[in-house]
Amino acid sequence: MKLHKPWACSDSNQNQCQDSNFFSLFLPKILKMATFGDFKLTKSVQKGVKEIGFTKPTPIQVEAIPAIKSGQDVLGIAQTGTGKTAAYILPLLTKLVKAEGEDPRVVILVPTRELSIQVGEDIAELAQYTNIRHAAVYGGIGWTKHAELITPGIDVLVATPGRLMDLYNHNVLSLKKVKTLVIDEADRLLDMGFMPQLHTVFNFLPMRRQNLLFSATFSEKVEKLTEEFLDFPVRIEITPSATPVEMVKQQVYHVPNYRTKLNLVAHLLENEAVFKKVIIFCKTKITAETVFKVVHRKAEGEKRILHSNKGQNARINAINAFKNDEVRILISTDVSARGIDASKVSHVINFDVPVNYDDYIHRIGRTARAGNHGEAITLLDPSEEWHFQKIEKLIRMSVPVYEIPAGVTVVETEKADRQLQLREIDRQRKIDDPTYKGAFHDKKRKPAKDKRDFTDKFARKKTRKKRKKRR
Ligand code: AMP
């Protein structure tokens, strides 16, 4: 766990928290006290906090720790980087007190193996002076390895939903003793289509339990899950839903095509003094591979690539090397980057616009962490401008546009690429205006009509000739 500078709790945070009945009365008092000592955490947990060097709780910790300790359900709308993991781990460790029995009493569901490992590491640090046992499990490797981790007895289990069910179905894991269920990065879990698995897991858990749900955004899907799964939760919203980290300096470049984007990225990365630690996000694995090849050839420093086709070890090693500043440039798809808690990322470059607009917030949230300065640069080809307008609406701000620097070779867009872009723009116009027929629609019909006319004329001539012959 890396140390963050204590956050200032803004007025807007305080206002949003007033949703929660209990906290509206006591919040001013709680905010004033705001030291870890006031939470009455167990001594061994406090020792862990001190050892890591956390001096002041973050706003989400100020609000969530007392609520979780008191046994209430909690809905936390907070991005990574706000200290949300410790906000639920600290009170849960306090409630568990010490190791007990064989079956987990706390289950934490996460969307990706990277986040599972990250949360596991956070628990290891915060629980270092307790005897509480934990394990972090995830798909992609044989379940028997994970079975070995939990059979000696366990108190806290961090798991991706699929792996949790693997262990349950093989009778290695009992969920009867679960007292608290945490769903972390709920928006991501739902975007990845985990809803059916979540329902299956809920069916095997005891009815009486505490539920905690954390999500970076409060989408419709998350709202639905909250209604189904939480009982009169205390709602804690640290930043308004879908607001990007304010410290991130965002910029946009309008770039005509893919090849010019590659030239621009290579040009930007030449400036090693400024682009010190960079994550380049790509929508697809194929794009990530192409960008990696170009960056590998043209940029200085160590580079790594991260996507779901990469082996488990390669992915974990890449994240660790990036965290430890051994890697300057990390190229990643959206899913693989979840759970990367690396400090001092100077730049996030969005090579393209993410399919899921919320991912823009997750992407740019990788920089400007812990009060550091950070920039997010987004490259837009003409067919992506419409999507970016939607993102600007979501983040409630318009992002300044920058000119492509003089040193960058602007390549002419190939005919096939231009066609693809135009088709996409056409599709977007049709969405905005259902009466719009589309440029392609008209163009397509015309040649078809001409051809038919021509064939008809040709057919008529042939028949006339035949008739003449017969006569
Ligand atoms: P999270 O939002 O859980 O991803 O946490 C982001 C980072 O904040 C992690 O590196 C934590 O170690 C760090 N952190 C959490 N709580 C505190 C705190 N009270 N003081 C300083 N750093 C913190």
Side-chain angles (χ1 to χ4, degrees):
M1 250 196 185
K2 262 160 240 88
L3 192 64
H4 269 195
K5 278 183 194 160
W7 286 255
C9 192
S10 68
D11 284 349
S12 64
N13 291 340
Q14 295 184 28
N15 293 338
Q16 277 135 16
C17 302
Q18 281 170 12
D19 279 10
S20 50
N21 37 19
F22 169 84
F23 287 91
S24 59
L25 285 172
F26 294 101
L27 191 60
K29 207 172 138 211
I30 294 167
L31 288 173
K32 226 200 265 162
M33 66 181 190
T35 74
F36 280 107
D38 298 310
F39 297 136
K40 300 208 165 38
L41 303 170
T42 49
K43 287 233 164 66
S44 45
V45 174
Q46 282 194 44
K47 219 171 151 193
V49 170
K50 209 168 162 205
E51 173 80 25
I52 302 169
F54 292 176
T55 48
K56 244 182 143 222
T58 67
I60 185 137
Q61 290 162 1
V62 169
E63 293 170 47
I65 292 174
I68 297 172
K69 265 189 77 198
S70 74
Q72 283 172 280
D73 279 7
V74 167
L75 164 67
I77 313 292
Q79 299 165 22
T80 42
T82 53
K84 67 168 171 64
T85 321
Y88 65 77
I89 291 172
L90 291 172
L92 292 178
L93 290 176
T94 295
K95 283 171 70 162
L96 291 174
V97 187
K98 57 181 172 47
E100 196 184 290
E102 285 176 1
D103 305 325
R105 286 171 288 158
V106 171
V107 165
I108 302 166
L109 289 178
V110 293
T112 60
R113 62 188 97 173
E114 286 77 14
L115 190 62
S116 181
I117 293 169
Q118 180 68 51
V119 173
E121 283 175 1
D122 288 358
I123 298 172
E125 282 191 298
L126 292 167
Q128 59 184 301
Y129 293 105
T130 73
N131 66 350
I132 293 170
R133 302 149 302 169
H134 77 278
V137 299
Y138 37 82
I141 60 167
W143 63 269
T144 46
K145 263 207 148 122
H146 288 150
E148 282 167 24
L149 294 177
I150 62 171
T151 34
I154 186 157
D155 302 294
V156 183
L157 181 64
V158 190
T160 51
R163 178 44 44 103
L164 186 89
M165 287 320 295
D166 288 342
L167 296 169
Y168 183 83
N169 291 334
H170 285 95
N171 289 327
V172 181
L173 175 72
S174 160
L175 296 171
K176 278 191 203 133
K177 294 275 162 63
V178 175
K179 297 250 173 340
T180 307
L181 174 69
V182 183
I183 301 189
D184 200 352
E185 297 204 351
D187 48 351
R188 166 59 65 166
L189 271 162
L190 296 177
D191 288 344
M192 288 168 76
F194 277 124
M195 192 62 162
Q197 281 94 327
L198 289 181
H199 275 129
T200 318
V201 174
F202 297 164
N203 286 338
F204 296 115
L205 292 170
M207 292 282 278
R208 270 175 64 96
R209 58 170 198 263
Q210 183 184 26
N211 297 302
L212 314 174
L213 187 145
F214 291 87
S215 177
T217 54
F218 195 58
S219 62
E220 259 175 52
K221 283 189 215 161
V222 175
E223 193 174 349
K224 208 168 150 247
L225 181 68
T226 307
E227 279 164 13
E228 268 179 49
F229 153 83
L230 299 178
D231 242 354
F232 302 106
V234 172
R235 183 188 164 116
I236 301 166
E237 193 168 345
I238 286 310
T239 46
S241 179
T243 297
V245 187
E246 274 147 23
M247 256 101 64
V248 184
K249 185 180 162 208
Q250 298 171 67
Q251 333 173 359
V252 152
Y253 285 97
H254 289 293
V255 190
N257 50 46
Y258 191 79
R259 283 172 60 207
T260 312
K261 280 189 180 185
L262 289 170
N263 292 345
L264 176 56
V265 168
H267 176 88
L268 294 172
L269 293 175
E270 274 171 21
N271 193 343
E272 277 182 80
V274 174
F275 288 76
K276 286 188 190 125
K277 194 169 175 181
V278 185
I279 306 183
I280 305 177
F281 279 102
C282 303
K283 203 154 52 180
T284 66
K285 289 173 221 169
I286 299 169
T287 312
E289 286 289 353
T290 315
V291 174
F292 180 67
K293 269 187 211 144
V294 172
V295 168
H296 196 67
R297 260 191 291 121
K298 299 204 171 164
E300 292 297 320
E302 201 44 48
K303 307 108 191 161
R304 294 283 168 85
I305 177 164
L306 207 63
H307 61 62
S308 55
N309 277 9
K310 294 279 155 196
Q312 173 118 321
N313 284 344
R315 291 168 66 181
I316 294 167
N317 290 344
I319 292 179
N320 285 339
F322 189 66
K323 276 188 196 173
N324 298 336
D325 294 338
E326 291 155 21
V327 164
R328 178 185 166 219
I329 304 162
L330 186 70
I331 294 145
S332 179
T333 52
D334 291 292
V335 171
S336 303
R338 268 317 188 69
I340 300 178
D341 178 22
S343 61
K344 303 218 170 116
V345 174
S346 65
H347 291 78
V348 161
I349 300 180
N350 296 314
F351 189 81
D352 43 32
V353 173
V355 184
N356 185 330
Y357 300 147
D358 284 347
D359 277 337
Y360 178 79
I361 298 152
H362 296 302
R363 285 178 174 192
I364 72 164
R366 306 285 127 193
T367 182
R369 299 190 124 201
N372 288 314
H373 171 76
E375 290 184 22
I377 297 171
T378 304
L379 314 186
L380 300 176
D381 77 24
S383 68
E384 292 176 302
E385 288 168 19
W386 182 81
H387 293 290
F388 199 73
Q389 280 165 16
K390 308 267 176 214
I391 289 172
E392 288 184 316
K393 229 172 162 183
L394 182 76
I395 61 175
R396 302 184 203 116
M397 62 195 292
S398 76
V399 177
V401 178
Y402 281 61
E403 289 286 317
I404 298 179
V408 177
T409 312
V410 177
V411 185
E412 207 182 309
T413 312
E414 282 173 19
K415 202 174 161 203
D417 290 342
R418 183 76 196 133
Q419 287 290 87
L420 283 177
Q421 288 179 1
L422 288 174
R423 265 180 212 286
E424 170 58 15
I425 292 168
D426 225 33
R427 190 189 68 82
Q428 296 161 359
R429 280 188 65 182
K430 276 182 209 160
I431 294 173
D432 287 343
D433 173 11
T435 60
Y436 173 69
K437 291 262 163 47
F440 279 89
H441 171 88
D442 293 334
K443 265 189 199 153
K444 249 196 235 157
R445 283 186 60 182
K446 255 190 181 164
K449 203 170 166 234
D450 288 343
K451 202 173 161 194
R452 200 188 53 222
D453 285 346
F454 172 77
T455 1
D456 285 354
K457 254 189 235 165
F458 189 69
R460 276 203 299 274
K461 215 170 167 186
K462 244 180 156 181
T463 340
R464 251 184 274 140
K465 263 190 186 170
K466 268 188 196 167
R467 269 190 216 140
K468 244 186 190 175
K469 255 191 188 173
R470 259 188 258 139
R471 268 188 242 143

